[in-house]
Amino acid sequence: MENATLKRSLGLWAIVGLGLGYMTPTIVFDTFGIVSKETNGVVPLAYITALIVMLFTAISYGKMVKVFPNAGSAYTYTRETTNPHLGFLVGWAALLDYLLLPMVNALIIRIYMVSVFPNVPAWIWVVAYVAGVTGINVWSMGKTSNMNTILVAFELVLIAAFLVLAIVQFSHGMGKGTVITFDPLYHSGVRLSAVLTGATVVCFSFIGFDAVTMYAEEAKDPKIMPKAIMLTVFIGGAVFFIASYFAQALFPDVSHFKNTDDTLPQIGLYVGGTLFKLLFISGAFAATVASGLASHASVSRLLYVMGRNGVLPKRWFGYVHPKFRTPLGM
């Protein structure tokens, strides 16, 4: 059992898919109202600014994973290049992030399910969701990747449908009345400080590209990891930019929205009617599940590496199931 290792079963696009699943592409519509209000209607510019910053970070992660093709991400890099004790602190700090997102996803799923089935106790949905995600992650990383791919593909199809419906609405005179306009990127009244503030908010959308380094020991070829990181950032950034550009051209300001804290349902309603609104919400649900799968897989590997190194109790955390070859606490 002690000789069991993680199974190298993930190709380039499987890893990119896990990164995109973690990033949650539909989040661009959830935060659109907040960022549009903050930036005075230049959400795409905020995403470009954030993307530039993230590219430098992605390049750094690509360099490190090439030198240290092991799971553990920033924890491993700090431990190997600086000091094991400092690596310990970085690992614990990273756990605050990696443990928080799966819990947030469970909470969001509970909210969705309670809204549909109000008579069912809320805790049942949390238990069922956590058990399901954990079971899939333990069963096989390949199965986790396959399900994540299906969910991410569903999200991207809905975003593509939004773009098509947006073009139809432009032809009817909605928003700017045209696809080609420079206003979503710059117009009078835009301040650099506001754009930078908006960029700090949308940086949250990119959380997850760094998590793909957790799968370094499960990549079929470790050499693909730098490319997987860059593709995840570029594809995610492109989706965020294009979707926010169309949304901003449709809604130049936030006056259309009753609630700017979560504009996804309202955008779906205005663009495609009640049916598309329901589909859009289902896409957000799928995105939450995909994010839960990817984030759960990432945090389990960080706990495993820290356990393997003796930072956490090795018997409880540094164990790989000999059959499934996935991390499994004992």
Side-chain angles (χ1 to χ4, degrees), residues 16-41:
V16 172
L18 286 165
L20 293 175
Y22 200 123
M23 289 169 68
T24 317
T26 57
I27 193 69
V28 61
F29 302 106
D30 288 304
T31 60
F32 175 79
I34 297 173
V35 183
S36 182
K37 184 177 180 180
E38 186 65 45
T39 61
N40 192 22

Side-chain angles (χ1 to χ4, degrees), residues 102-169:
M103 291 189 289
V104 170
N105 287 327
L107 178 61
I108 294 174
I109 290 295
R110 188 199 71 174
I111 293 172
Y112 279 133
M113 299 308 293
V114 167
S115 66
V116 179
F117 304 100
N119 295 325
V120 178
W123 64 267
I124 290 179
W125 301 118
V126 175
V127 172
Y129 167 77
V130 172
V133 169
T134 301
I136 293 172
N137 270 283
V138 170
W139 182 19
S140 166
M141 190 58 199
K143 296 294 187 295
T144 300
S145 173
N146 291 340
M147 179 162 289
N148 173 81
T149 299
I150 294 172
L151 294 170
V152 170
F154 179 56
E155 293 177 64
L156 296 179
V157 167
L158 285 177
I159 292 175
F162 161 77
L163 299 181
V164 173
L165 290 171
I167 293 174
V168 173
Q169 294 297 339

Side-chain angles (χ1 to χ4, degrees), residues 178-317:
T178 177
V179 177
I180 303 174
T181 173
F182 199 67
D183 284 356
L185 297 173
Y186 182 79
H187 54 261
S188 61
V190 175
R191 293 179 292 108
L192 177 60
S193 59
V195 174
L196 293 177
T197 301
T200 61
V201 176
V202 300
C203 275
F204 174 77
S205 304
F206 288 89
I207 290 177
F209 81 85
D210 57 309
V212 303
T213 57
M214 291 293 178
Y215 313 124
E217 294 180 32
E218 291 162 282
K220 293 179 180 179
D221 183 356
K223 294 180 181 179
I224 68 174
M225 290 307 301
K227 187 176 182 179
I229 294 171
M230 297 303 296
L231 282 173
T232 300
V233 176
F234 271 119
I235 295 174
V239 171
F240 292 143
F241 173 75
I242 295 172
S244 64
Y245 174 87
F246 274 73
Q248 194 72 81
L250 283 172
F251 308 102
D253 54 57
V254 295
S255 61
H256 295 79
F257 304 116
K258 296 178 180 179
N259 177 19
T260 58
D261 291 340
D262 184 6
T263 50
L264 182 145
Q266 298 170 82
I267 290 175
L269 178 63
Y270 290 139
V271 173
T274 303
L275 177 59
F276 186 68
K277 172 187 174 182
L278 294 176
L279 287 172
F280 226 29
I281 292 175
S282 68
F285 181 89
T288 303
V289 176
S291 179
L293 284 169
S295 59
H296 199 104
S298 297
V299 71
S300 64
R301 276 137 188 85
L302 178 57
L303 290 169
Y304 161 66
V305 173
M306 294 179 72
R308 183 175 65 184
N309 292 337
V311 174
L312 296 176
K314 188 172 183 179
R315 179 177 178 181
W316 291 353
F317 296 99

Side-chain angles (χ1 to χ4, degrees), residues 26-106:
T26 57
I27 193 69
V28 61
F29 302 106
D30 288 304
T31 60
F32 175 79
I34 297 173
V35 183
S36 182
K37 184 177 180 180
E38 186 65 45
T39 61
N40 192 22
V42 286
V43 176
L45 182 59
Y47 271 107
I48 290 177
T49 304
L51 176 60
I52 293 172
V53 175
M54 289 301 163
L55 284 175
F56 284 105
T57 308
I59 292 171
S60 300
Y61 271 92
K63 295 290 185 181
M64 295 304 293
V65 77
K66 188 174 182 179
V67 177
F68 303 105
N70 303 314
S73 193
Y75 158 72
T76 295
Y77 309 148
T78 306
R79 175 185 173 88
E80 297 295 333
T81 61
T82 307
N83 184 279
H85 299 296
L86 187 58
F88 168 80
L89 295 176
V90 170
W92 273 107
L95 279 176
L96 296 176
D97 170 28
Y98 285 106
L99 283 173
L100 178 63
L101 188 56
M103 291 189 289
V104 170
N105 287 327

